[in-house]
Amino acid sequence: MNSIGITSIIAGLALFIILTLAAYTVVLERILSAWIQQRTGPNRVGSPASGKMMIAAKNSIFLRIINIGWLQPLADVIKLLLKEDIIPAGANRKVHFLAPVIAVTIALITMSVIPFARGVYIADVNIGVLFTLAATSIGVYGITLAGWSSNSKYSLLGGIRSSAQMISYELAMGIVVVSVILLTNFRMADGSNCLSLVNIVETQVQSGVWNVFINPIGFLIFMTCALAEANRSPFDLVEAEQELVGGFHTEYSSMKFANFFVAEYLHVIMGSMMVVTLFFGGYGGPAENILGVASWGSVGQIAWGLGWFAFKTFFFMCVYVWIRWTIPRFKYNQLMNIGWKSFLPLSLVNLVVIAFVLALIYAGK
Amino acid sequence: MTFDSIFQIAFFWFFAILGIAGGIGLITQKNPVMAALSLILNFFSIAGLYLSLQAEFLAVIQILVYAGAIMVLFLFVIMLLNMQDEQNQQFDVMKGLAFLLGLGFFGELLFVFNSFMGKSVSGAFPLGKVEPIGMQMMTNYLFPFEMISVVLLAALIGAIIIAKKHSYK
């Protein structure tokens, strides 16, 4: 257990880094989407090279890399701050104010149990996985309340869609998490505390076999459900422009809208982190036994762990963006069919198969 | 007094007052959504109190099941039916009866509270963690546990049949 001082330092740092990261995920999304659609993407705000330099050095990869609008998030935030904050007539003012706050808070709360490197976590709760599930299950409030309090038909429909969607996809997600818990319990020698995210990562790192190799179907279902929980394409019916204008945040402007915007990208980051933690060995790198990471001393280990964790999280964030700009939006009936008729039975079968195989191995011992 | 015990007491009072505020909000708010939100606040405070009893599992299940599933359903129904604010109703027999019942329940609570007065609550919830609950369910209470599963399955099938009734015609 870490002391209160170290915990608060880690918590402060994590909060600062993740909130900044959320802003830069927006830039990442803009750059990647521009590459996918063969556009230029953000290349003005904060780009050190002027227009003439760009023309002169058209094919310089170095200039292209540094010219990606590093200050774009700052410009976005200033723009949003200066906008007028409109509260629609007939809106419930209290709830209208509360909804974006809830959205960001709940998106951030998962961070408190994720291990970033060996010994670097805010809290090692002995029910860590359940904590993250609880955080996802209350995540629906921000959107639902925003939809209701705006006193607008589009917002309300968006909010109701989101609650139905999130409840549907939580089920499959929870069942996949149970299969991960079973695997962790099997691999822990003493069989204790297999709900802690720290232990889930440790079993993967120490054995060198990540859960994704044992439980690939579980990974696919979890990844997709995390996508649905984040309300991102192809599951973004909540804000389907053609049908619902802006969806649940139609009536939101200024920094309140920015809060929902940040919450969406926080969901992307947290979803990637959860995928990495549960299935891709968290802070574990490849060939740790051969390199002898365990004898590197604490600073080296933490740097190595943080590096790998950041790299894997970044990879999955890119996958999220990639999916968004590749796959078109589902129809509502398709969304429900996939959730209830495909993912739920598939995750149940996956769980039963894993439990059966583990029971056979136990019986053989 | 050590730092830990001061923190514990502050933790308890914070969630106790928050829980009571939520409970009062639930019965005084005219707007159904605000009442539901007060109830959610109450559930969260009770989860906080469970945490202070070191019953982490109960705390998370409280949030997962009540705040995360049941209240979402409540809100969903309130929004879907577009319920209006509660009107001021006349005092009738049912309200008098409800008042008497509430008084009786309050007396009962006082009685229970009195019998626990002055006793330490640390370790009062040995069942609040995952392992003991799982152990009890899979050993002593295996049969009731399986029975509940069957009952829930029956409810599930019943819900599907009721929902699908129209498509059979």
Side-chain angles (χ1 to χ4, degrees):
Chain A
M1 250 355 216
N2 290 332
S3 72
I4 290 177
I6 293 175
T7 305
S8 26
I9 290 172
I10 295 174
L13 270 179
L15 197 65
F16 175 73
I17 291 172
I18 286 176
L19 280 176
T20 316
L21 194 64
Y24 275 94
T25 316
V26 183
V27 181
L28 178 77
E29 171 132 52
R30 290 192 173 157
I31 293 165
L32 287 184
S33 66
W35 283 359
I36 288 169
Q37 300 181 328
Q38 303 201 319
R39 292 184 281 111
T40 313
N43 66 351
R44 289 290 182 272
V45 191
S47 303
S50 69
K52 273 183 185 169
M53 271 174 75
M54 279 303 281
I55 294 163
K58 205 177 178 183
N59 295 319
S60 156
I61 290 173
F62 174 72
L63 271 183
R64 273 185 165 178
I65 288 174
I66 59 169
N67 261 19
I68 53 172
W70 289 105
L71 295 180
Q72 191 64 45
L74 199 68
D76 284 346
V77 168
I78 291 173
K79 186 196 82 173
L80 284 163
L81 263 176
L82 295 176
K83 294 261 176 184
E84 187 190 354
D85 181 22
I86 301 163
I87 301 173
N92 187 320
R93 298 182 74 95
K94 274 184 248 166
V95 182
H96 193 262
F97 172 79
L98 210 60
V101 180
I102 293 176
V104 171
T105 315
I106 290 173
L108 272 173
I109 222 167
T110 317
M111 176 188 81
S112 56
V113 289
I114 290 177
F116 303 109
R118 184 163 291 155
V120 182
Y121 46 78
I122 298 171
D124 177 15
V125 196
N126 60 11
I127 34 123
V129 188
L130 288 177
F131 183 87
T132 58
L133 280 183
T136 3
S137 75
I138 51 175
V140 62
Y141 281 123
I143 292 173
T144 313
L145 291 175
W148 174 78
S149 65
S150 300
N151 194 29
S152 149
K153 290 190 179 74
Y154 297 127
S155 303
L156 186 64
L157 281 173
I160 287 177
R161 271 187 184 184
S162 107
S163 32
Q165 172 180 331
M166 284 177 140
I167 291 172
S168 309
Y169 280 83
E170 254 161 41
L171 293 170
M173 199 183 206
I175 290 168
V176 167
V177 166
V178 174
S179 67
V180 172
I181 295 170
L182 276 184
L183 285 174
T184 310
N185 188 41
F186 178 72
R187 295 208 269 180
M188 299 260 301
D190 53 348
S192 66
N193 216 352
C194 51
L195 294 175
S196 146
L197 283 176
V198 175
N199 286 347
I200 288 177
V201 174
E202 268 308 310
T203 53
Q204 299 180 62
V205 174
Q206 277 164 13
S207 64
V209 183
W210 297 344
N211 279 338
V212 66
F213 301 123
I214 312 172
N215 191 3
I217 301 172
F219 157 66
L220 287 176
I221 296 173
F222 188 90
M223 179 86 191
T224 320
C225 291
L227 209 64
E229 293 285 337
N231 286 320
R232 277 174 67 88
S233 171
F235 299 103
D236 60 345
L237 291 111
V238 172
E239 40 186 314
E241 298 90 352
Q242 298 90 335
E243 305 154 25
L244 296 176
V245 190
F248 66 94
H249 56 60
T250 306
E251 305 290 349
Y252 277 90
S253 53
S254 187
M255 280 311 277
K256 284 183 190 159
F257 167 73
N259 268 7
F260 284 119
F261 201 61
V262 166
E264 184 190 326
Y265 285 97
L266 283 175
H267 275 298
V268 172
I269 296 171
M270 292 300 159
S272 313
M273 282 183 174
M274 280 307 293
V275 168
V276 170
T277 305
L278 291 180
F279 292 99
F280 279 80
Y283 45 76
E288 291 213 338
N289 293 334
I290 301 165
L291 291 169
V293 180
S295 60
W296 281 7
S298 62
V299 177
Q301 275 190 34
I302 287 174
W304 167 265
L306 275 180
W308 278 105
F309 186 75
F311 172 71
K312 291 181 208 170
T313 308
F314 178 74
F315 175 77
F316 279 103
M317 280 155 61
C318 292
V319 172
Y320 267 84
V321 174
W322 176 33
I323 290 173
R324 173 168 179 182
W325 295 92
T326 310
I327 304 174
R329 184 180 295 141
F330 287 125
K331 287 189 293 184
Y332 195 68
N333 57 340
Q334 289 174 329
L335 174 99
M336 284 295 157
N337 280 344
I338 293 168
W340 290 96
K341 292 183 184 166
S342 308
F343 280 179
L344 188 59
L346 196 62
S347 60
L348 278 170
V349 169
N350 184 42
L351 174 65
V352 170
V353 168
I354 286 176
F356 192 71
V357 171
L358 289 185
L360 277 185
I361 297 174
Y362 273 124
K365 266 183 186 173
Chain B
M1 241 189 225
T2 62
F3 176 77
D4 273 6
S5 62
I6 293 174
F7 190 73
Q8 271 176 13
I9 290 169
F11 195 84
F12 169 78
W13 280 109
F14 178 74
F15 282 110
I17 292 170
L18 211 63
I20 291 171
I24 291 174
L26 167 68
I27 48 174
T28 52
Q29 290 285 345
K30 296 264 184 239
N31 187 324
V33 171
M34 292 305 278
L37 285 181
S38 309
L39 189 56
I40 293 166
L41 181 69
N42 181 272
F43 285 154
F44 269 95
S45 337
I46 289 174
L49 290 180
Y50 282 146
L51 269 187
S52 71
L53 293 171
Q54 289 164 2
E56 296 96 349
F57 183 66
L58 276 186
V60 168
I61 289 301
Q62 169 88 8
I63 292 177
L64 196 64
V65 174
Y66 285 95
I70 293 178
M71 286 317 290
V72 172
L73 201 69
F74 265 57
L75 270 182
F76 198 73
V77 170
I78 292 172
M79 288 175 190
L80 216 58
L81 299 181
N82 197 15
M83 282 165 75
Q84 300 303 313
D85 286 9
E86 193 185 358
Q87 305 298 320
N88 273 329
Q89 286 160 354
Q90 297 295 311
F91 183 84
D92 56 17
V93 185
M94 288 308 284
K95 275 202 169 174
L97 202 64
F99 180 74
L100 281 179
L101 275 177
L103 215 62
F105 186 63
F106 186 66
E108 207 173 336
L109 275 183
L110 274 185
F111 179 73
V112 173
F113 183 70
N114 202 30
S115 64
F116 276 105
M117 196 73 181
K119 285 183 188 167
S120 167
V121 288
S122 62
F125 272 92
L127 281 177
K129 293 195 194 321
V130 188
E131 293 90 351
I133 286 184
M135 195 59 94
Q136 289 295 327
M137 271 186 181
M138 290 297 155
T139 54
N140 286 349
Y141 299 100
L142 184 60
F143 184 68
F145 179 66
E146 294 294 333
M147 278 311 289
I148 290 173
S149 319
V150 174
V151 171
L152 282 177
L153 187 66
L156 210 71
I157 295 170
I160 292 173
I161 286 176
I162 290 172
K164 277 209 146 188
K165 202 163 65 180
H166 296 290
S167 61
Y168 285 138
K169 283 173 187 171

